[in-house]
Amino acid sequence: MAKLPSFEELPINPDYPPHSAWGVWGEDDNLGTLNLLTEEVVQEASKCIKTGKVFPLNWALENPTPPLFGRQTIQHKMIPHTVDNLAFDDCIDNFNPQASTQWDGLRHISYVTVGKFYNGITPEEVTDGVSGRLGIHHMAQRGIAGRAVLLDFARWAEEHRPDYNPLERQEITVEELQQVADAQGVTFKQGDILLVRVGWIAAYEKEGHKLAEKMDLAHPECAGVKACPETFKWVWDNHFAAVCADNFPFEAFPPKWEESCHIHFLGGFGMPIGEMFFLEKLAEDSAKDGVYEYFFTSAPLNKFRGVASPPNAICIK
């Protein structure tokens, strides 16, 4: 793969938005930074498999309950095939792919300051019912596999930020993330999938039943990565294929949307964002053996023109 431009060298065309990666993989590209997961990168990532331990990263489909942002509650029914209930099908109503563990695909949020999605796709192309540009099916039909690295910020914060609370809007800087990486002995490679354990799911599983008393669940808040130029530069220059966290927005929420990670990653870089990834068992095991790199796979739903999908992701050590 040709050398990628640095953050300071973006955009490659002055007509494109500031620091966007439009055109880096061609004007017809629908995959963005997933292009970094080359066959060579995947083959190298497979060397992370040492013990065969498997860690699924999907949280329960029903979590969080009730759903955030006013989303509808999933309804599951079993449909019998026989009168004696010896065979069944499933039926799931009100299934919102973004209500639990999810990939935000490239149709989720545009580069709002210019009114276009990644690579200059217009809202009309997204909503015309015909164009498949940027649909989640592109991620699904490609498949996602590579090396993932975990930064267990929540565990690090127990010592270094004792007042940290993942259920409050608190910002995590990339300087802190780099300190976590250094403390864990993690170095980054081009094409890595970055996993950040904010500690939100662990806190939710303890205090989630009280969350409605603390905030409006239609407009929730939480700790996350700080949205700022320093973050955008650090993420791009490390050339991650995707970023993920165990909270619901990756970034500290709510953000200033014009300056948010969502706009710059999804709309600018073409970088998928993973949210509410279940990292608890993975983080616990890694704290014991000191291994924070894994072979990662994800098979999003193959929904033509889809916006998002459960990741169906696993890490293997």
Side-chain angles (χ1 to χ4, degrees):
M1 178 178 290
K3 182 178 181 297
L4 292 170
S6 70
F7 182 75
E8 298 302 333
E9 292 170 331
L10 293 175
I12 62 171
N13 184 323
D15 293 333
Y16 297 154
H19 298 297
S20 72
W22 293 11
V24 168
W25 292 283
E27 294 183 355
D28 60 348
D29 177 57
N30 292 291
L31 293 170
T33 51
L34 292 182
N35 284 290
L36 297 173
L37 296 173
T38 63
E39 293 179 358
E40 293 76 16
V41 166
V42 175
Q43 184 179 38
E44 181 66 23
S46 70
K47 297 177 183 177
C48 293
I49 301 176
K50 308 291 186 183
T51 67
K53 291 182 180 179
V54 176
F55 298 87
L57 305 185
N58 277 21
W59 203 14
L61 273 178
E62 294 80 6
N63 288 337
T65 302
L68 304 177
F69 301 106
R71 291 168 175 147
Q72 292 180 302
T73 301
I74 190 171
Q75 301 291 331
H76 174 235
K77 293 182 288 188
M78 293 175 62
I79 302 172
H81 275 278
T82 64
V83 294
D84 50 1
N85 290 333
L86 294 178
F88 293 92
D89 279 349
D90 280 314
C91 181
I92 299 177
D93 294 326
N94 298 337
F95 173 51
N96 185 322
Q98 291 174 280
S100 187
T101 310
Q102 67 190 267
W103 282 121
D104 280 350
L106 304 188
R107 286 186 163 213
H108 180 44
I109 291 181
S110 68
Y111 202 113
V112 297
T113 54
V114 298
K116 293 182 179 180
F117 291 79
Y118 169 67
N119 247 359
I121 302 305
T122 66
E124 291 74 22
E125 290 175 275
V126 169
T127 59
D128 65 7
V130 178
S131 172
R133 291 300 305 271
L134 307 184
I136 202 76
H137 62 282
H138 292 288
M139 293 171 58
Q141 292 171 14
R142 184 196 186 283
I144 301 171
R147 175 184 184 251
V149 292
L150 171 67
L151 299 184
D152 192 349
F153 175 83
R155 197 175 302 271
W156 178 88
E158 291 174 4
E159 178 180 353
H160 299 279
R161 276 184 65 173
D163 61 342
Y164 172 71
N165 184 347
L167 298 180
E168 297 178 355
R169 192 192 185 283
Q170 298 183 15
E171 295 180 325
I172 300 167
T173 67
V174 290
E175 289 79 12
E176 289 174 311
L177 291 182
Q178 189 61 56
Q179 289 179 52
V180 176
D182 294 342
Q184 295 177 179
V186 170
T187 56
F188 303 123
K189 299 178 181 179
Q190 181 168 303
D192 280 349
I193 293 100
L194 175 67
L195 308 174
V196 179
R197 181 174 174 260
V198 172
W200 187 84
I201 282 182
Y204 180 89
E205 292 190 335
K206 291 180 181 178
E207 302 289 334
H209 62 288
K210 301 178 182 178
L211 207 60
E213 301 172 10
K214 299 180 179 182
M215 65 187 72
D216 177 2
L217 296 185
H219 303 90
E221 66 178 54
C222 72
V225 176
K226 181 179 181 181
C228 62
E230 291 77 16
T231 293
F232 309 149
K233 174 178 170 59
W234 185 81
V235 167
W236 176 263
D237 284 345
N238 275 305
H239 298 314
F240 298 124
V243 295
C244 315
D246 63 334
N247 63 358
F248 57 85
F250 182 79
E251 59 191 316
F253 202 87
K256 295 179 180 177
W257 281 109
E258 294 79 5
E259 304 166 10
S260 68
C261 291
H262 275 68
I263 285 169
H264 285 272
F265 294 172
L266 296 171
F269 298 165
M271 177 179 289
I273 300 175
E275 298 168 348
M276 292 186 280
F277 273 48
F278 182 77
L279 303 175
E280 294 309 294
K281 292 182 179 179
L282 181 67
E284 181 180 358
D285 193 79
S286 291
K288 292 177 182 177
D289 67 10
V291 175
Y292 291 90
E293 63 171 1
Y294 327 96
F295 186 67
F296 174 97
T297 68
S298 170
L301 298 180
N302 191 1
K303 177 66 189 79
F304 180 62
R305 301 180 61 248
V307 172
S309 171
N312 305 313
I314 60 172
C315 281
I316 307 175
K317 297 179 77 171

